[in-house]
Amino acid sequence: MKSPLLTLPGAVPAEGVDEGVAAHYGDLFREQRALADGAGFVDLSHRGVVTVTGEDRLAWLHLLLTQHVSDLPAGRATEALILSANGHIEHALYLVDDGETVWAHVEPDTQDALIAYLESMKFFYRVEVADRTADIALVHLPAGSIAEVPQGVAVRETPYGRDLFLPRADLEAYAGQAGPPAGILAYEALRVEQHRPRLGFETDHRTIPHELGWIGSAVHLQKGCYRGQETVARVQNLGKPPRRLVFLHLDGSEVHLPVAGTELRLADDGPDGRKIGFITTSVRHHELGPVALALVKRNVPVDAPLVAGDTAAAQEAVVEP
């Protein structure tokens, strides 16, 4: 779905998964600095929006999600996953309940598969699931923003900012009063700095929650049964995940960033060394320079210098080995 804000001055369209919104508006670092200072907004209107209504909505979702939501207070933001039977991550949902409706935003073009799964699990529960992507646009206000929130709009308040579920028809008007726009590249740079994983970026077909540090924030270890819980409990109680998320400082002298999927090796092993991981997201940060998130084998020493392709990389542990 193409955002009308692509007509704003300087807007350069994003590509790939984030197609439909602006990558930037002409000055990537200025946009990053504005967000870091609590100014401006990010157009995330390409993301899927799903609602669940009905008196059983929280009790029903509690059975399906990795998060404890049966007693979720109105207005409290949370996040949750849906796992496969083998414990692999299939969906990531960013939720808030307004007292009558659960609002969730999800990765672009994943809402159809999510809704199909939810519909298959309704049984006798008094719930209604709806795809609201066509009429609701997600807008992100950074932490510290003093921008006005329109009355009646569902809001997810998090340490990283506020997610507004704005009527799509109001998007252009709201953009005119919300401050300077920032593109998805600025938003992604701050996400990487904050070590926050993203479905489809830090995940692949075999990712389990422990590898990305989603235990606690998206997975509640004391709630009842859900699909994939056996894997979560087994790894938590008896073992360690096979991989772990790391934050990388990349050699700033290189012109090109190593792209997602670039293989990681131990620097001491040279270019013919064995693969020990791969880049998941790489960005240029306004203060830190070129940085990235990556998945590496759990037993890689936390102080070992790495090489991403031909680019030297120093790691910081996000998930402890």
Side-chain angles (χ1 to χ4, degrees):
M1 187 170 293
K2 187 176 180 180
S3 172
L5 302 190
L6 286 172
T7 62
L8 291 177
V12 175
E15 299 178 347
V17 173
D18 292 319
E19 182 180 2
V21 296
H24 60 83
Y25 295 89
D27 192 335
L28 172 61
F29 291 152
R30 177 188 60 78
E31 295 165 30
Q32 285 186 40
R33 286 191 290 269
L35 291 181
D37 291 339
F41 71 96
V42 184
D43 175 13
L44 299 177
S45 61
H46 63 315
R47 289 183 65 83
V49 176
V50 176
T51 59
V52 182
T53 55
E55 58 187 285
D56 293 338
R57 65 190 183 281
L58 291 176
W60 176 67
L61 285 171
H62 185 79
L63 299 173
L64 305 177
L65 305 180
T66 57
Q67 187 58 274
H68 196 299
V69 297
S70 59
D71 301 314
L72 185 67
R76 180 180 295 175
T78 192
E79 55 189 70
L81 308 174
I82 290 177
L83 307 180
S84 72
N86 293 322
H88 301 138
I89 299 169
E90 292 189 343
H91 294 282
L93 297 81
Y94 300 85
L95 309 164
V96 68
D97 183 81
D98 66 6
E100 296 181 352
T101 301
V102 172
W103 296 82
H105 65 83
V106 298
E107 286 297 324
D109 299 324
T110 65
Q111 64 269 21
D112 288 348
L114 171 63
I115 290 172
Y117 172 69
L118 294 177
E119 288 286 352
S120 73
M121 301 299 291
K122 283 173 65 173
F123 303 117
F124 56 85
Y125 288 93
R126 293 163 293 184
V127 294
E128 293 296 330
V129 181
D131 183 355
R132 301 294 303 277
T133 310
D135 64 298
I136 298 294
L138 192 73
V139 172
H140 176 78
L141 301 178
S145 171
I146 59 172
E148 181 181 353
V149 176
Q151 188 173 5
V153 169
V155 179
R156 287 187 73 251
E157 185 90 34
T158 78
Y160 310 107
R162 287 173 287 174
D163 297 332
L164 278 56
F165 294 86
L166 191 73
R168 193 169 288 273
D170 298 340
L171 180 57
E172 287 185 272
Y174 186 74
Q177 65 184 43
I184 190 71
L185 292 183
Y187 180 85
E188 284 289 281
L190 298 188
R191 176 182 73 82
V192 170
E193 177 195 12
Q194 295 154 355
H195 305 169
R196 292 190 289 136
R198 182 177 174 187
L199 184 78
F201 286 63
E202 279 60 60
T203 68
D204 56 23
H205 66 284
R206 58 191 181 97
T207 306
I208 60 175
H210 303 74
E211 296 177 322
L212 303 184
W214 254 328
I215 301 299
S217 63
V219 178
H220 195 287
L221 294 175
Q222 278 75 51
K223 63 158 289 185
C225 294
Y226 53 88
R227 189 173 69 174
Q229 184 193 27
E230 295 83 358
T231 298
V232 171
R234 184 168 62 252
V235 173
Q236 185 69 22
N237 296 323
L238 301 176
K240 294 283 188 177
R243 303 177 297 182
R244 59 183 178 86
L245 186 67
V246 297
F247 178 75
L248 298 179
H249 293 271
L250 303 171
D251 182 359
S253 66
E254 296 290 340
V255 175
H256 300 290
L257 282 174
V259 299
T262 300
E263 294 184 352
L264 290 169
R265 291 176 169 79
L266 295 173
D268 292 344
D269 290 349
D272 297 325
R274 65 186 178 90
K275 174 185 173 182
I276 52 88
F278 58 94
I279 297 284
T280 59
T281 305
S282 59
V283 297
R284 295 191 184 276
H285 190 274
H286 69 286
E287 289 183 339
L288 300 175
V291 292
L293 292 175
L295 278 174
V296 300
K297 294 181 182 295
R298 179 175 57 85
N299 59 2
V300 172
V302 295
D303 57 350
L306 307 179
V307 175
D310 297 325
T311 302
Q315 59 170 315
E316 292 181 15
V318 176
V319 174
E320 295 297 327

